[in-house]
Amino acid sequence: MKAKGSLLLVGSVGFWLFSSSLLAQDLGPQIRKIKDGIYVYVGKDFNSNCGIILTQEGVVLIDSGHNPTDSRAIAEAVKKLTPLPVRLLIDTEPHPDHTTGHFVFSPPATIIAHHGATESMLGRERETPGRIEKMAGVSPQMRSALEGYRFVPPHVEYRDRMTVNWGERTFELFYLKNVHSEADSAVWLPKERVLFSASGIVVDQINILRPFVTIPDILAASKMMKGLNPEHVIPGHGIPGTVKIFEDTETYYALLLERVGKLVKAGRSLDEIKKEVKMPEYDHWASKERFPTNVEAAYKAVKGN
Ligand SMILES: [Zn+2]
């Protein structure tokens, strides 16, 4: 009896390995499995990431893909993973590279974001008339992915903190103040120890620091998220990893603040500092054209305003 039992066990493990490797292939190269029922569609070339989380009560998405072509690919992957629909979509930020694809999932998905997200989305629509038509002109694939496009703002806006119990899972939403957009959220799955850390902290890339973004706020968010002790960290953009993502960011800003601080002490103006300050250690990071926004934020932090 005993031998038969272990044989059965080997058989089922073999089947499980076989089926899961088939599945991974089926889902395409952009999908990574993080844990059972938790997947990430990793955007190409620093495009935004999308979390796909299966629950007994349907799928929860974290963001909706960089472009509508990504959103369509995500919808296809979801169909392969489960017969259940996407019921909930949590936005880590309101920018178009996370929210244009809302229409692909909603209805039936209910969309949750931090307070200020709708206003931010409406502002972008006003600032960039013809955005969707322009996007459709990029390629025939994009045009067809945009079929049926509607502007879909969040249904629910929370303030500061929110807990969502969905199926067997818990999602804790945290507002991240002044780190990237007007309404950034971290999404934390405490039981699974998986954290979606939004776009205030990116990987191997210089971030864009808008005038309201401050380095002390980024560092505070980093510390808070590290304190959750996550096993997996999925940034808004960049390859998923661990708390090392936060440590790399902290090291980068500490060095930047130190170098900008020295030049401020030496009496240099912001314009002079922008020309003089160098960070050769980060030559391999992408999006260097954003560096001047980092210097401006460091200058403000050093000056204490
Ligand atoms: Zn953004």
Side-chain angles (χ1 to χ4, degrees):
M1 276 310 277
K2 207 178 169 196
K4 203 177 170 188
S6 45
L7 197 70
L8 266 174
L9 182 70
V10 168
S12 62
V13 168
F15 173 73
W16 177 80
L17 286 174
F18 177 69
S19 58
S20 66
S21 65
L22 255 188
L23 200 60
Q25 247 175 3
D26 277 357
L27 292 169
Q30 277 171 272
I31 303 256
R32 279 197 187 199
K33 183 174 178 175
I34 302 292
K35 283 207 159 176
D36 274 346
I38 303 180
Y39 299 82
V40 176
Y41 177 92
V42 181
K44 273 186 197 156
D45 301 327
F46 300 104
N47 278 354
S48 72
N49 296 328
C50 166
I52 302 169
I53 299 151
L54 311 184
T55 83
Q56 290 157 356
E57 290 178 33
V59 178
V60 178
L61 292 186
I62 313 295
D63 293 329
S64 60
H66 194 93
N67 286 313
T69 42
D70 298 296
S71 310
R72 299 285 181 189
I74 291 159
E76 283 308 306
V78 167
K79 266 190 222 154
K80 285 174 186 162
L81 286 166
T82 172
L84 299 176
V86 176
R87 296 275 310 278
L88 207 64
L89 200 174
I90 304 171
D91 288 338
T92 65
E93 61 159 275
H95 290 159
D97 58 333
H98 297 250
T99 58
T100 303
H102 279 174
F103 75 99
V104 172
F105 305 103
S106 184
T110 296
I111 303 168
I112 302 179
H114 191 267
H115 174 72
T118 300
E119 208 182 300
S120 169
M121 284 177 70
L122 285 169
R124 278 292 178 113
E125 292 295 293
R126 278 194 299 267
E127 278 166 32
T128 44
R131 180 174 81 83
I132 296 303
E133 201 33 55
K134 239 178 263 165
M135 192 182 242
V138 167
S139 69
Q141 290 81 0
M142 195 66 79
R143 184 170 296 280
S144 98
L146 273 164
E147 235 164 75
Y149 171 81
R150 287 167 306 109
F151 175 76
V152 185
H155 302 94
V156 178
E157 290 196 354
Y158 77 99
R159 282 175 197 260
D160 297 321
R161 271 190 84 153
M162 185 182 197
T163 301
V164 179
N165 292 306
W166 201 270
E168 70 280 37
R169 300 199 196 263
T170 295
F171 300 81
E172 288 179 6
L173 281 54
F174 296 92
Y175 174 47
L176 305 173
K177 181 174 66 105
N178 298 342
V179 301
H180 175 76
S181 74
E182 299 81 356
D184 297 297
S185 291
V187 182
W188 168 231
L189 283 79
K191 283 179 269 185
E192 299 82 351
R193 293 182 52 223
V194 173
L195 175 68
F196 292 84
S197 57
S199 301
I201 289 158
V202 290
V203 181
D204 292 338
Q205 186 184 26
I206 306 279
N207 213 341
I208 183 160
L209 305 188
R210 296 179 175 80
F212 59 85
V213 170
T214 83
I215 293 174
D217 281 321
I218 293 173
L219 294 174
S222 178
K223 190 176 169 199
M224 184 279 284
M225 291 193 283
K226 214 163 79 176
L228 296 169
N229 191 23
E231 185 185 340
H232 297 276
V233 176
I234 294 110
H237 297 257
I239 304 297
T242 65
V243 289
K244 188 176 178 294
I245 289 172
F246 302 133
E247 286 155 7
D248 288 348
T249 284
E250 285 165 14
T251 307
Y252 167 78
Y253 285 119
L255 199 60
L256 180 66
L257 288 172
E258 186 194 308
R259 288 185 187 162
V260 170
K262 268 187 195 153
L263 292 167
V264 167
K265 256 195 189 154
R268 303 285 204 287
S269 70
L270 175 58
D271 283 341
E272 286 167 337
I273 295 172
K274 274 188 184 171
K275 280 177 208 140
E276 275 181 54
V277 72
K278 297 278 182 290
M279 298 282 277
E281 298 86 348
Y282 296 91
D283 271 351
H284 60 291
W285 280 19
S287 309
K288 285 197 196 55
E289 72 285 358
R290 298 166 167 181
F291 186 61
T293 70
N294 289 210
V295 179
E296 281 162 24
Y299 182 82
K300 275 195 238 170
V302 166
K303 288 280 208 178
N305 55 28

